[in-house]
Amino acid sequence: MADACLFCRIVRGEIPAKMVAENEHCVAFRDINPQAPTHVVVVPRAHVASLNEVSDAGTVGELALMAREIAKREGIADGGYRTVINTNADAGQTVFHLHLHLIGGRPMGWPPG
Ligand code: AMP
Ligand code: ZN
């Protein structure tokens, strides 16, 4: 599964992406179809299909902290930003490697669609 997974292939450098940050736990890159001036996807290096399959608190914590650091660096931390994890069909998950969207740089509505 991990062999063919799109985000595993980006993590391994087999598919190009606009890298934004990386550490031993996770990797962040620009979304190919950005929904806001800042739209970054933060993914764990280790393959896990969705939040439903996560077994430790650290995985999601690392994603959130990396997103926070990127938000600061992009100058959107004070103005505000949104972090989203879509899980399965009703949420619109299309890539089944856990990822956290960091979206900001414009005002956003609530509730989301
Ligand atoms: P989701 O709908 O939550 O599963 O989000 C998947 C996201 O991955 C979407 O926002 C896509 O635009 C994005 N995406 C798909 N392929 C790529 C790619 N090759 N590089 C960067 N982002 C991608
Ligand atoms: Zn994967």
Side-chain angles (χ1 to χ4, degrees):
M1 172 62 204
D3 283 356
C5 168
L6 174 63
F7 287 174
C8 281
R9 296 193 70 194
I10 289 176
V11 168
R12 291 196 298 263
E14 295 171 6
I15 292 176
K18 293 181 181 171
M19 290 298 170
V20 175
E22 53 184 306
N23 65 22
E24 63 182 308
H25 305 289
C26 39
V27 169
F29 49 89
R30 305 265 173 215
D31 197 291
I32 204 167
N33 182 24
Q35 302 301 310
T38 293
H39 188 170
V40 172
V41 179
V42 189
V43 313
R45 287 186 181 277
H47 180 85
V48 55
S50 83
L51 188 58
N52 283 343
E53 284 77 30
V54 171
S55 56
D56 66 297
T59 295
V60 176
E62 293 290 346
L63 299 180
L65 290 181
M66 181 172 277
R68 182 186 71 176
E69 291 311 305
I70 296 166
K72 287 183 194 167
R73 198 197 308 161
E74 303 244 332
I76 59 172
D78 290 343
Y81 58 90
R82 188 165 290 170
T83 50
V84 175
I85 297 176
N86 293 322
T87 302
N88 282 346
D90 276 0
Q93 185 177 4
T94 59
V95 177
F96 287 85
H97 177 131
L98 175 68
H99 52 282
L100 182 148
H101 295 261
L102 166 64
I103 304 165
R106 65 165 171 81
M108 276 169 270
W110 191 264

